Amino acid sequence: MTASRRIEWIDTLQSVPADSWNALFATDYPFTRYDFLQALESGGSVGPGTGWQASHLTIWQGEQLVAAVPAYLKQHSYGEYLFDWAIVEAYQRYGLDFFPKLVLAIPFTPAEGPRFGVLTGEDQAELMALMLDALQQRMKKQRLSSIQCLYPNEAQREHLTAAGYWPRQDVQFEWRNYGYAFFDDFLASLSSRKRKQIRKERQRVQDAGVALSVVHGCDADAALWQQLYHFYQRTYLKRSGHAGYLTEATFHQWGQQLADSIVIFAAYQQQQLIAASLCFRSADTLYGRYWGCEAEWDFLHFEACYYAGIAYCIEQGLQRFDAGAQGEHKLQRGFEPVTRYGCYHFRDSPLKDAIGRYFEGEEDMLALYQRQAQARLPFRQLANSEPLS
């Protein structure tokens, strides 16, 4: 190890220059960007009272930040999407403390991507080893139950599993662009029945006098962001009985600082905004995040959250549309089941071996589920097709 390198745990990204942080993640993946994560902190969506306490691992060489991983001490398991409720319950029944745990993740964001950042030109293997050792020492010192890395990309997942972390699977649904030039090209790839169904659903939205507009972040004003937050709260109140994890301040900061990564599909009826979906994007992927509406309109959710996004990906030449966690109804709209992962390291306990067996059984169950889901896709032919790359 280079002698001058030092490890620091920081409880706020304000301790790090934005350019230094962003330089570690040589990608336009939006969720590791300094402004995305800092808006969560300064907006109060994470921090005191939320159960998400920032505790980011950073490595420095002199005054230069050379590696980091966003990390949070958790006092609960909400907002993770790759949930561990069964393990929490087992610890409680055994009289063991499961919290705090350390989660290497993007809060409230089940989107695969980089979790460990290393400055270009530095020795990645050395720095990954140094970060993993620092994590191990932190777990021992604070007697954390576990370290959980949620939704890492493939390369980092392989590194973690090689270091002894246990992989755990999840199934999500992702639309892939097989070189479509127009939305009708996508429809032509579907079975006749599903093609007619989607056309009927889109027509019902039009017949209701609803029109959708694409609003890029640079064109979204404060009033639109306030309405987006209102929609977000309505959705959570209906689904979960609470107003959601995110604050209005976080929404407005995203609008101010991440305009180049934001796409909004806004639905209007008689010039009134009645619904919208908020997405982020990279150079090759659209990420669906939040949706809400003033009242229920037939098929408007599908139009704003799926069909408008698919049409946008085709128009922009994006390879994928990750529309968020869960939702088997996505299958019938051309979203394919894909495997996502978490990687876990548990402190020794009487339950450790049982957790390993639980993960193995879960993997078998999810593999079967994914095969069954694949068989339900509406495509006329998919096996010989290749997505854009």
Side-chain angles (χ1 to χ4, degrees):
M1 182 182 74
T2 304
S4 60
R5 286 182 179 166
R6 70 183 188 280
I7 295 168
E8 292 185 9
W9 294 90
I10 61 174
D11 60 7
T12 173
L13 277 182
Q14 291 180 342
S15 304
V16 178
D19 290 346
S20 297
W21 179 273
N22 289 334
L24 305 181
F25 298 92
T27 173
D28 64 350
Y29 176 77
F31 304 120
T32 50
R33 286 179 58 177
Y34 181 95
D35 287 334
F36 183 89
L37 296 170
Q38 176 58 18
L40 292 171
E41 293 184 14
S42 60
S45 297
V46 301
T50 69
W52 290 81
Q53 179 55 55
S55 188
H56 307 307
L57 170 59
T58 63
I59 301 180
W60 303 77
Q61 185 168 334
E63 298 303 312
Q64 176 69 60
L65 181 67
V66 295
V69 55
Y72 300 86
L73 286 168
K74 290 294 303 295
Q75 301 293 340
H76 55 63
S77 291
Y78 295 101
E80 297 172 8
Y81 294 92
L82 191 54
F83 293 116
D84 56 11
W85 298 118
I87 301 170
V88 173
E89 183 179 358
Y91 268 69
Q92 291 173 340
R93 288 182 175 180
Y94 217 87
L96 300 174
D97 292 328
F98 190 69
F99 302 108
K101 62 182 180 181
L102 189 67
V103 175
L104 319 179
I106 311 301
F108 324 117
T109 306
E112 182 179 275
R115 297 296 178 260
F116 295 80
V118 175
L119 188 64
T120 301
E122 295 290 332
D123 188 327
Q124 293 209 16
E126 175 195 343
L127 286 166
M128 280 293 294
L130 187 57
M131 285 189 282
L132 291 177
D133 182 67
L135 291 167
Q136 177 73 14
Q137 296 306 315
R138 180 75 179 275
M139 184 169 71
K140 290 180 179 178
K141 182 177 180 179
Q142 291 194 247
R143 296 188 62 79
L144 305 174
S145 70
S146 57
I147 298 168
Q148 305 181 8
C149 184
L150 307 183
Y151 301 103
N153 62 22
E154 182 178 4
Q156 295 184 356
R157 170 172 58 86
E158 291 177 351
H159 200 115
L160 288 166
T161 55
Y165 279 62
W166 292 348
R168 184 185 178 205
Q169 294 186 1
D170 186 21
V171 174
Q172 294 184 348
F173 302 96
E174 178 183 87
W175 181 85
R176 296 175 178 175
N177 189 347
Y178 291 95
Y180 307 119
F182 302 99
F183 191 88
D184 279 349
D185 295 336
F186 160 64
L187 290 180
S189 72
L190 306 179
S191 67
S192 175
R193 184 168 66 89
K194 293 303 179 184
R195 184 164 61 247
K196 292 177 181 177
Q197 176 186 334
I198 291 175
R199 284 179 172 149
K200 179 180 178 180
E201 291 175 356
R202 303 197 81 188
Q203 188 62 49
R204 287 282 292 275
V205 173
Q206 293 182 32
D207 291 345
V210 178
L212 264 75
S213 296
V214 178
V215 182
H216 290 98
C218 58
D219 297 319
D221 60 17
L224 177 55
W225 278 101
Q226 186 173 9
Q227 190 65 38
L228 287 170
Y229 187 67
H230 168 69
F231 288 152
Y232 164 79
Q233 287 189 306
R234 283 182 60 90
T235 298
Y236 264 88
L237 284 169
K238 178 180 179 180
R239 183 175 64 189
S240 306
H242 63 84
Y245 301 112
L246 301 175
T247 66
E248 187 172 358
T250 292
F251 265 62
H252 282 282
Q253 287 182 48
W254 283 343
Q256 294 166 5
Q257 300 166 2
L258 289 162
D260 59 334
S261 296
I262 287 170
V263 182
I264 300 161
F265 302 108
Y268 293 87
Q269 187 181 57
Q270 297 180 350
Q271 299 183 329
Q272 296 295 316
L273 182 65
I274 61 169
S277 61
L278 171 63
C279 300
F280 290 79
R281 64 160 293 176
S282 67
D284 61 11
T285 304
L286 183 69
Y287 299 93
R289 300 305 305 125
Y290 303 109
W291 139 268
C293 58
E294 286 293 355
E296 298 297 328
W297 278 265
D298 288 344
F299 307 115
L300 180 55
H301 173 259
F302 299 147
E303 179 67 26
C305 294
Y306 306 135
Y307 303 144
I310 290 171
Y312 180 85
C313 288
I314 293 171
E315 178 185 332
Q316 297 287 316
L318 303 186
Q319 300 172 22
R320 291 177 292 275
F321 181 14
D322 177 348
Q326 305 170 341
E328 286 191 354
H329 53 274
K330 297 172 187 171
L331 280 170
Q332 300 307 309
R333 290 158 180 89
F335 288 77
E336 302 174 43
V338 293
T339 304
R340 300 291 188 238
Y341 291 88
C343 295
Y344 295 72
H345 183 50
F346 290 90
R347 182 164 55 89
D348 286 339
S349 79
L351 293 174
K352 188 173 182 179
D353 289 343
I355 293 170
R357 293 191 297 272
Y358 171 73
F359 280 6
E360 291 173 358
E362 187 180 54
E363 180 179 354
D364 292 339
M365 178 187 67
L366 287 172
L368 174 61
Y369 170 74
Q370 186 167 1
R371 289 194 299 270
Q372 293 172 338
Q374 187 76 22
R376 292 167 53 195
L377 285 169
F379 295 101
R380 292 186 296 126
Q381 183 176 2
L382 191 62
N384 296 326
S385 301
E386 292 293 336
L388 290 178
S389 59

